[in-house]
Amino acid sequence: MIDKLSWIAVYPEVVLLVMACIIALVDLAGTDARRTRTYVLTLLTLVVVAFLTGANAVAGKTIFGFGGMVVSDPMGNWLKCFATLALMVTLVYGRPYAADREMLRGGELFTLSMLALLGMFVMISGSNFLLIYLGLELLTLSSYALVALRRDNVLASEAAMKYFVLGALASGFLLYGLSMVYGATGTLDVNEVYKVIASGSVKHQVLVFGLVFIVAGLAFKVGAAPFHMWVPDVYHGAPTAITLMIGAAPELAAFAIIIRLLVEGLLPLAIDWQQMLTVLAVASLLVGNFAAIAQTNLKRMLAYSTIAQMGFMLLGLVAGVVNDNTYNAQFAYSAAMFYVITYVLTTLASFGIILLLAREGFESEEITDLAGLNQRSPLYAGVMAIAMFSLAGIPPLVGFYAKLAILQALIASGQAFYVGLAVFAVLASLVGAFYYIRVVKVMYFDAPVTAATVSAPRDVRTVLTLNGALILVLGIVPGGLMTLCANAIVATLAT
């Protein structure tokens, strides 16, 4: 019999599933090409879900349900809340773009986005290998369909095919690795896997073999090199609204399953997966930053930027287990959580400007399309400049503090190797600053390519302004969000 606690652990997911079905029915019955009713209903649902998950996070309780397969803890609830808010902002930014390109006519956009969010929730709450994988597949299958939503667009169809083929390969890696660990430990439960491995009753070689495939699958999901090959092509080929949808909120879910699998389940193998993540982080920083310099397409540049940013986030996970220093582990993981949240916030602003500048029949994807934006709209040029400077790690913006927290976690280890990683990360960030500042230079110092003024719907203008202001405010007073992340990680590791 399923107890009451089981339903308490999953009621945000139940709300999402029920409302996704209702929204699908409303879409089928609707005739409005802009899907106004569906849009409003979706936003209201996301507001309610964000409130529910936020309230659960503030309560600070950890609840296991359905025989321990599902966990509702502060870290998971905060990540769900932020993922919901990120999707809500994405829909606000993307609706005018989608309406101009007839992506709303069929009505699938809102339903698929809700199902993708449901997949993220299942991934974040999963405390069982099978449940985590089911959530991952729900997210990825919805994402494949979203990328291919413009059926008459060759680039989008090509991007969807590449995403599907490479995504299936990565899912196979992850599933094979999980099956190897299951075969060695005899359990699918994450906490039980930890106990069995910690007991020393399983051959280390078998576990490491499975771990290699798990890390490869996770690296694909976050877009870390050398498993990054899908990121530039999918970012470029997908409709820009969908690019933002797959490049923002899912990173929060990917961070969650890394914590669930590697930290909660496979922590006794930390010495092994730390080395793997170190290679991935260094490769991501090199490939992402140097490849981004050569890009003239803004979406491809931001794709390679994502690869570099995820490399920086992985450094936080690398610094998390050093000489059994529990305090440093909590500090490092909270720094990585802070980093991925602030990265999503900044990505929303940068792609929001790209979506705003896009017009019917014109994508505004090239860096040169931003030329003279300050003369056409100082507000939107300012928001984009704040986003670029934050991604570059320039104070007093939140990206600077996020990078500083990762570097402090590395240096706090007290080991020369980790200090060397910190120095390398700083040098890589200096390289990355070039292509971010280049965008600012084009906006402020190049002559505008058109004299057309930039106009935006009131909701888009309001959310964009708040988005840019948050990047600045959180950089000046980051303590609240950092404390939130630290408390969430401590509560998670304590269970």
Side-chain angles (χ1 to χ4, degrees):
M1 182 178 179
I2 299 174
D3 56 37
K4 184 179 178 181
L5 287 180
S6 295
W7 291 110
I8 293 175
V10 299
Y11 67 81
E13 285 85 349
V14 173
V15 172
L16 262 183
L17 179 60
V18 171
M19 291 308 300
C21 295
I22 293 173
I23 288 169
L25 293 174
V26 172
D27 268 336
L28 288 173
T31 56
D32 180 11
R34 297 185 73 85
R35 304 286 169 179
T36 304
R37 286 188 302 173
T38 312
Y39 171 69
V40 173
L41 185 58
T42 302
L43 288 189
L44 288 175
T45 301
L46 295 177
V47 169
V48 171
V49 171
F51 174 79
L52 293 175
T53 53
N56 285 344
V58 171
K61 296 180 179 178
T62 299
I63 300 172
F64 288 90
F66 297 96
M69 293 179 67
V70 175
V71 59
S72 173
D73 57 14
M75 183 198 75
N77 284 316
W78 277 124
L79 290 175
K80 289 180 191 176
C81 181
F82 293 135
T84 305
L85 293 173
L87 179 60
M88 187 163 57
V89 172
T90 299
L91 292 177
V92 171
Y93 291 162
R95 181 176 174 246
Y97 175 95
D100 289 342
R101 287 150 183 81
E102 298 188 348
M103 292 169 60
L104 302 181
R105 189 172 296 279
E108 301 96 341
L109 176 63
F110 299 112
T111 303
L112 287 171
S113 63
M114 295 278 279
L115 291 174
L117 182 62
L118 179 60
M120 295 179 220
F121 275 30
V122 175
M123 289 167 62
I124 293 170
S125 288
S127 188
N128 180 282
F129 287 169
L130 185 58
L131 200 63
I132 290 173
Y133 185 75
L134 287 175
L136 180 63
E137 286 305 292
L138 178 56
L139 168 61
T140 52
L141 290 173
S142 301
S143 300
Y144 301 152
L146 284 166
V147 173
L149 207 54
R150 292 187 69 185
R151 301 172 183 83
D152 57 343
N153 186 279
V154 175
L155 271 180
S157 299
E158 180 185 350
M161 287 297 294
K162 290 177 179 177
Y163 195 17
F164 174 73
V165 172
L166 293 174
L169 182 65
S171 293
F173 280 168
L174 182 61
L175 186 60
Y176 185 65
L178 293 176
S179 68
M180 290 288 293
V181 175
Y182 167 66
T185 61
T187 179
L188 292 170
D189 185 87
V190 170
N191 294 317
E192 289 299 319
V193 166
Y194 171 83
K195 293 176 183 177
V196 172
I197 296 176
S199 70
S201 59
V202 182
K203 287 187 177 181
H204 185 75
Q205 294 85 345
V206 177
L207 292 171
V208 171
F209 189 70
L211 181 63
V212 170
F213 286 95
I214 291 175
V215 171
L218 294 175
F220 177 91
K221 297 307 175 186
V222 299
F227 303 96
H228 66 285
M229 60 286 290
W230 65 275
V231 179
D233 289 338
V234 174
Y235 270 48
H236 183 201
T240 307
I242 308 304
T243 300
L244 180 54
M245 197 170 291
I246 64 176
E251 298 293 357
L252 299 170
F255 171 80
I257 64 170
I258 290 175
I259 294 294
R260 300 289 187 213
L261 293 176
L262 298 186
V263 178
E264 293 188 351
L266 301 173
L267 189 62
L269 302 176
I271 189 64
D272 298 298
W273 57 254
Q274 268 189 298
Q275 296 175 28
M276 300 178 198
L277 293 188
T278 300
V279 174
L280 293 174
V282 171
S284 298
L285 287 168
L286 287 173
V287 172
N289 284 315
F290 282 100
I293 293 175
Q295 305 305 313
T296 58
N297 182 278
L298 188 55
K299 285 167 66 176
R300 292 187 75 89
M301 188 206 83
L302 289 174
Y304 283 108
S305 163
T306 296
I307 296 166
Q309 298 288 340
M310 289 302 101
F312 223 106
M313 184 272 291
L314 290 176
L315 288 178
L317 298 171
V318 167
V321 184
V322 181
N323 294 332
D324 297 323
N325 188 334
T326 304
Y327 171 77
N328 194 66
Q330 295 169 351
F331 177 66
Y333 297 146
S334 61
M337 181 176 172
F338 180 84
Y339 194 97
V340 74
I341 290 171
T342 56
Y343 161 76
V344 169
L345 177 66
T346 310
T347 297
L348 289 169
S350 57
F351 274 97
I353 296 296
I354 298 174
L355 287 165
L356 176 63
L357 297 178
R359 303 183 296 278
E360 189 172 357
F362 179 70
E363 292 296 330
S364 186
E365 291 182 358
E366 300 298 319
I367 295 176
T368 53
D369 294 332
L370 298 178
L373 180 59
N374 182 56
Q375 300 175 37
R376 299 165 57 199
S377 174
L379 172 63
Y380 300 131
V383 172
M384 189 64 165
I386 286 174
M388 292 296 103
F389 284 140
S390 181
L391 288 171
I394 295 175
L397 302 172
V398 70
F400 165 76
Y401 191 82
K403 283 181 166 57
L404 179 63
I406 297 290
L407 295 175
Q408 287 176 331
L410 287 168
I411 294 171
S413 68
Q415 295 189 14
F417 176 73
Y418 290 94
V419 174
L421 279 180
V423 173
F424 171 78
V426 171
L427 294 176
S429 295
L430 289 176
V431 174
F434 170 79
Y435 55 83
Y436 294 123
I437 294 175
R438 179 178 60 183
V439 175
V440 178
K441 174 260 180 187
V442 168
M443 290 192 298
Y444 281 87
F445 298 104
D446 286 13
V449 293
T450 176
T453 57
V454 181
S455 60
R458 182 179 300 175
D459 56 345
V460 175
R461 183 170 63 251
T462 302
V463 175
L464 257 178
T465 304
L466 290 173
N467 199 164
L470 266 177
I471 297 172
L472 178 59
V473 170
L474 287 175
I476 297 172
V477 284
L481 182 57
M482 191 69 212
T483 301
L484 180 152
C485 294
N487 292 338
I489 290 295
V490 169
T492 298
L493 295 181
T495 57

